[in-house]
Amino acid sequence: MGLSPMAARAACGCSSAALAFFGSRPLRRAGRRPAAAFAWGQSSPYGGCRSRLAHSLVDSVLDELRSRRRVRVSAKIGLQGTKELSDNKIDKRALQKGLLLEFQKDSQRSLLAVVERPDGKKNWMVTDQNGILSSIKPQQVTYVVPGVMNFDASRIDEFLEKAQDLLDPTVLECAWMELSEKDKSIMVEEFAEESLESYCAHFLLSRDIVYFVKVESRDCSMYQPRSPPQVEELLRRKRAKEEAEKELEEFVHLVKSAKALPMESKPPKSSWLLDEKVRQKIEALQAYAVDACDDEQRRLAGNILKAMGFTRTSSAALKLLINVGYFPAHVNLDLFKYDVRTMYTEEVLSAAEELLVGRPDSDMHIRKDLSTLKVYAIDVDEADELDDALSAIRLPDGRIKVWIHVADPTCMIKPRGIIDREAMHRGTSIFLPTATFPMFPERLAMNVMSLQQGKQCKSVSVSVTLHPDGSIAEYTLENSVIKPTYMLTYESATELLYMSLEEEEELRILQEASSICAQWRRSQGSIDTAMIEPRIKVSNPDDPEPNINLYVEDQANPAMQLVSEMMVLCGEAVAAFGADNNLPLPYRGHPQCNTAVSAFSHLPDGPARSFANISVLRAAEMDFQKPVPHGILGIPGYVQFTSPIRRYVDLLAHYQVKAFLRGDSPPYSAGDLEGMTFIASMHVKVARRLHSNSLRYWLLEYLRRQPKGRKYKALILKFVKDRMAVLLLVEVGMQVTTIVSRGKVGDEVSVAVDTAHPRDDILSIREVIEDTDDNEE
């Protein structure tokens, strides 16, 4: 019978020491093996055999061994038969003082030990190779070394050293080659004669994962050779595992080297992404840090953290990535957790560049020239996308006419195009304290689409003539060209309003229009929800200590109220336009609250009352065929229309309105609008969560940096339970929770920050009791 290909390859790897295992003579001592050789799984350093081992050699030896080995071993250890020992079927009767055995210390370790004495009815006290005396159960015993009596525990190290010289893994390869040809199984005692050799045979067989499989029976334990295909596959897996372990070792060395460098010398993030294998591991750590990893990434990241001596936690992975310079100290993990689109594909960018080169305006022939109007664009000072502006005049009859001019991105992009699809799958621009991720490519959103001071800008203008009571008398929607006169921040607009300059009469008219519109809405049951809100801008966010600029915005600010009222007026007019022309639009409504507004009239006007109003609001409603009442705003219908560069739902409304103004059929049915609004709204929810989480992180970082013990004014908004209250930190614009000993809703108290830890989202606030004159000495 010829050798199989596997056996033929194996024959070349059999050392002289391996061949000796098949003879009846003791093994000849090979060259001294290092201690590391005791670790199973290393490749053999021994050379190949010079001639093929004959089948008859193993056959004859095994036949002889099977006939006499058990008798000889029994005589050496002085027991009535050693079947229990040779087959590892250990029980109480098989153990006695002085035996040398191997036992399972834990799931990872097996140790050699010498039996000392019984311990109770079943257990035995043993002294292991580390000199430790412990009690073991018979079930822990994995092997009793045959032929050894009255062994001295102090000689275990000497025994192990000798065993190291004989532990040659090629023994198994040669044995498997011969035994697999005959389809024969073998016991440990049949593998070698002497006690030392027998232990080595047990050590190799019991830890072998390639060539043999242990087969248990009622009487004995045998080692059966695996089939050649099985061995081929197991060897392939073994080599792959060894290669993976080598790669892991190299990566850990790389990480440790980067970790030891000073911050300014650490490798850039891009350098970790050049090599595929390094990139795979660093991305596994990243996914692990944000709790968004698959099973393979979890396993790989866990192995890396273990090799680095870290606990297998997401915080440990994050700390490691920061320490090697891959992440900045204040990295926003939500961007990775929610897989936020922060970049654009080359295809989208190319399409955007084509639009910049030049695209004819299909609405030019119906645009009205409104460039002679004085136009005010009012927004936050760092706004990059300016998509609305205001104008106003007083008509000869005394009534006020206002214009809400809205940027016209649909003059450049078309429904269902590549840029439109990209915008839908973003849903909204994302505004964070550290960055802005626009809904459209930046060169479009922040340049040609935006309104720009002193330049001719294409827009859609919604003009509204008001009755003296603030209700709508007339409205028109038209394509237009405007020339923005002022770009104002809320702060500068408020200053102009207070100055009441004659030359800014149009701004005063806008404020008057805002005032009568607000009065009209209140008469229709609107609810005041104006709060104090924080806004943060972070400079150099990748620095360990970036600059934090905090702005606290009072939504009751005159300029903010003016802009807010005009945006509501625009939405009401567009909803009326849609209803009058039977136009499918994303109509937004809000049912009336079950609790009457008067229920909170006892609360002081301002944040406390607004907070109470917000707490009883019902869920918003959408309709795509006709307007639905908006109970919070106190108007019969509402369509978001004023931010088509920032919000996709606004862009949908523009598509519909612009088509009607051209005399075309609307591009989308009510069903289409509903489906696309749903897709966009899912991304809007993520954007809101991102904004909220990031804002809170930087507020906590701001508070962490403040002097210890600094006092803050806080307004009581609500009592949650007993004296546990929701407070508004007036100077910060942030809502917090703590126990207060005095006061009622709407009252001010003083508090201090005990702990602020942004990464762990920990904020601890305590009330500060002011000293009274009675307590002063």
Side-chain angles (χ1 to χ4, degrees), residues 374 376 391-395 398-402 486 496-497 499-513 562:
K374 184 178 283 189
Y376 298 88
S391 299
I393 61 172
R394 193 178 300 278
L395 298 174
R399 293 184 303 172
I400 294 175
K401 183 176 183 178
V402 299
Y486 295 114
L496 283 176
L497 288 171
M499 293 170 67
S500 191
L501 301 175
E502 282 188 22
E503 56 268 31
E504 300 303 334
E505 179 186 4
E506 294 86 351
L507 189 60
R508 295 200 309 273
I509 294 173
L510 279 170
Q511 185 180 32
E512 182 182 342
L562 185 158

Side-chain angles (χ1 to χ4, degrees), residues 440-457:
F440 291 110
E442 186 172 321
R443 277 168 53 81
L444 293 179
M446 301 178 184
N447 290 290
V448 296
M449 287 183 175
S450 288
L451 303 179
Q452 301 178 57
Q453 184 175 4
K455 294 184 178 181
Q456 297 277 347
C457 300

Side-chain angles (χ1 to χ4, degrees), residues 7 209 267 404 434 438 523 558:
I209 59 171
I404 302 95
T434 53
S523 70

Side-chain angles (χ1 to χ4, degrees), residues 584-596:
L585 287 172
Y587 298 100
R588 186 176 297 271
H590 221 290
Q592 289 282 357
C593 300
N594 294 325
T595 303

Side-chain angles (χ1 to χ4, degrees), residues 414-417 419-428 439 584-586 588 622 624 647-656 666-685:
K414 301 302 178 186
R416 301 183 177 89
I419 294 179
D420 172 72
R421 297 295 90 177
E422 179 71 17
M424 181 182 70
H425 287 289
R426 289 174 179 259
T428 181
M439 185 174 73
L585 287 172
R588 186 176 297 271
M622 293 287 292
F624 300 91
R647 292 189 303 238
Y648 187 74
V649 174
D650 295 45
L651 187 70
L652 288 176
H654 274 244
Y655 283 140
Q656 301 292 91
Y668 298 118
S669 66
D672 294 334
L673 291 176
E674 184 173 6
M676 290 184 292
T677 298
F678 176 79
I679 293 172
S681 67
M682 299 304 293
H683 298 287
V684 170
K685 288 178 182 178

